[in-house]
Amino acid sequence: MQRDNMTYDAVFIVDDDPTINLVHKHLVKKISMAKDIRTFTDPGKALKELREELPKCDKRLLVLLDINMPEMSGFEFLDKASLFPGVDVHTDIIMVSSSIDPRDREKARTHPLVQYYISKPLKKDVIRDLIRDRSLMTA
């Protein structure tokens, strides 16, 4: 399968706030980092789709993950996702949160699946720089 110039094959935006999902989806489209952009207000559905995508070895996925969600926290999501074979190889995860709790920031920073922790809302230049840096590291 020939890869195009997109940084990711798919981006999963996981946040319980549909407005945030819409704003972040628009930003991801604007940056042209992926053709397949999926939004989830239910982290359980995001996990299910992530598990289905991972066996496709040519896939490179980005997950933009909120921390504080009512059904499942971002950290619970990470714990469940860490059990999926290949998640650490095929997936970049960026925690995107409005939390000001330093413990959340530290917990995200030290989690093996999390590449970055950034504050909401996403900003075009910040996300573009993070993705570019991450792409250079994994190229």
Side-chain angles (χ1 to χ4, degrees):
M1 177 183 225
Q2 185 177 357
R3 294 179 59 95
D4 54 30
N5 291 331
M6 295 287 177
T7 304
Y8 292 97
D9 293 303
V11 175
F12 288 19
I13 303 168
V14 186
D15 195 303
D16 60 308
D17 184 337
T19 303
I20 289 290
N21 282 343
L22 184 64
V23 169
H24 289 174
K25 182 176 183 175
H26 177 70
L27 179 68
V28 169
K29 278 184 179 180
K30 204 171 191 178
I31 296 172
S32 298
M33 57 196 286
K35 288 181 185 174
D36 183 5
I37 305 165
R38 305 178 201 178
T39 61
F40 301 90
T41 55
D42 178 349
K45 289 181 182 177
L47 275 170
K48 181 178 184 280
E49 288 197 30
L50 179 62
R51 186 178 328 134
E52 291 169 2
E53 290 296 322
L54 283 170
K56 302 172 186 170
C57 293
D58 63 329
K59 289 287 186 182
R60 199 151 165 243
L61 307 169
L62 172 66
V63 178
L64 301 173
L65 181 63
D66 186 24
I67 291 177
N68 297 312
M69 297 178 283
E71 296 167 20
M72 175 190 309
S73 77
F75 294 115
E76 291 170 314
F77 180 100
L78 290 169
D79 290 343
K80 292 175 191 257
S82 67
L83 301 175
F84 300 163
V87 72
D88 55 337
V89 175
H90 299 290
T91 310
D92 292 337
I93 299 177
I94 298 176
M95 299 293 287
V96 184
S97 182
S98 57
S99 173
I100 58 170
D101 187 339
R103 293 172 297 186
D104 284 342
R105 187 175 293 273
E106 182 61 20
K107 190 173 180 180
R109 190 185 69 74
T110 59
H111 195 286
L113 291 181
V114 177
Q115 280 75 38
Y116 300 104
Y117 177 102
I118 57 179
S119 298
K120 284 183 191 175
L122 287 177
K123 294 174 185 67
K124 183 178 172 182
D125 57 337
V126 172
I127 192 72
R128 186 181 52 228
D129 291 347
L130 291 176
I131 299 308
R132 185 186 64 236
D133 291 347
R134 184 70 185 153
S135 296
L136 291 173
M137 289 171 31
T138 59

